[in-house]
Amino acid sequence: DKEMDDNRNARSQLAEQLRVMYDTLDAQRSEAWHTEVSEKLGLAPEELTEMRLPVSEGMQELLSSPLWKKKLQSEYSVFSKMDRGSSRAVRLAGGQEAVEEAAKLIQAYGPVGVRRLEIDDEQQGLLIGKRGANITQLQESTGCCLEIRKNAGMLHIVGPAGLVDDAQSIIQEMFATQAHH
């Protein structure tokens, strides 16, 4: 029995040491991100506002897309980073007003839809178009974010729940039309 107790104690001490190490690593990563963002925005680190906003899985996928990262940076001067883990959240960093405006935009967005379509190389090419012209135009016209994951042969369509089905139909129609040519 004593041996079992010793083992349990040793195990719980190791678990605690690991937890402390992970917390330290998270804190260091946070600090590095904070510094990087303040440099990119030309703000002193103490002028940087950081906000953690709980979000749905769909919203997390939308905000992780290159399109939305770019939108938040160019239109709001806000950088975003996903908090992975048990509680889904996005971390926003920037000037205080900018962060508040970006948070309002995200909170007012409404339900997010996510669709995944398997696509082959030819369809990927069709979707992208010359220098990305097709995908850019499709994202603007559908109001959805289209992300091609080449190695997985998948297209992720993410956007307002009501528009995702329409975007999927438009894309499938485009594939069907092209297949006949």
Side-chain angles (χ1 to χ4, degrees):
D1 280 349
K2 184 181 179 327
E3 201 177 323
M4 284 297 280
D5 282 346
D6 289 348
N7 280 340
R8 262 191 223 103
N9 288 338
R11 192 177 294 141
S12 64
Q13 283 174 339
L14 277 174
E16 179 57 20
Q17 287 172 338
L18 261 179
R19 193 191 61 74
V20 170
M21 283 169 55
Y22 277 118
D23 288 351
T24 306
L25 189 62
D26 280 349
Q28 288 170 345
R29 283 186 181 143
S30 261
E31 193 54 43
W33 184 64
H34 198 94
T35 304
E36 182 191 339
V37 171
S38 53
E39 285 170 5
K40 284 180 180 170
L41 293 173
L43 293 171
E46 59 275 7
E47 294 176 296
L48 197 67
T49 297
E50 228 180 279
M51 182 191 285
R52 192 175 174 281
L53 200 60
V55 290
S56 68
E57 190 174 350
M59 180 53 83
Q60 201 173 36
E61 185 157 343
L62 186 72
L63 294 173
S64 327
S65 69
L67 190 74
W68 269 80
K69 280 186 174 300
K70 207 181 295 169
K71 178 186 177 78
L72 289 173
Q73 286 173 25
S74 62
E75 294 176 26
Y76 292 86
S77 297
V78 167
F79 285 78
S80 61
K81 177 183 167 149
M82 294 310 130
D83 253 9
R84 307 261 179 228
S86 54
S87 56
R88 291 186 179 282
V90 61
R91 288 174 49 200
L92 304 173
Q96 186 173 350
E97 278 183 33
V99 166
E100 286 169 6
E101 286 303 305
K104 275 186 202 152
L105 170 80
I106 292 165
Q107 288 167 323
Y109 194 82
V112 177
V114 179
R115 290 277 176 294
R116 293 175 177 84
L117 294 180
E118 280 189 35
I119 57 173
D120 60 30
D121 291 349
E122 189 184 338
Q123 291 170 326
Q124 288 178 21
L126 269 175
L127 212 52
I128 295 168
K130 278 203 178 91
R131 295 197 185 98
N134 289 358
I135 200 162
T136 302
Q137 193 272 321
L138 277 166
Q139 288 183 129
E140 285 170 11
S141 66
T142 62
C144 292
C145 176
L146 308 176
E147 196 179 343
I148 296 171
R149 307 217 170 148
K150 284 193 160 102
N151 51 357
M154 293 294 278
L155 167 67
H156 289 221
I157 306 170
V158 188
L163 300 179
V164 172
D165 289 335
D166 297 343
Q168 182 177 350
S169 300
I170 291 166
I171 290 163
Q172 286 175 320
E173 178 64 30
M174 185 178 98
F175 291 161
T177 309
Q178 287 299 321
H180 299 305
H181 291 150

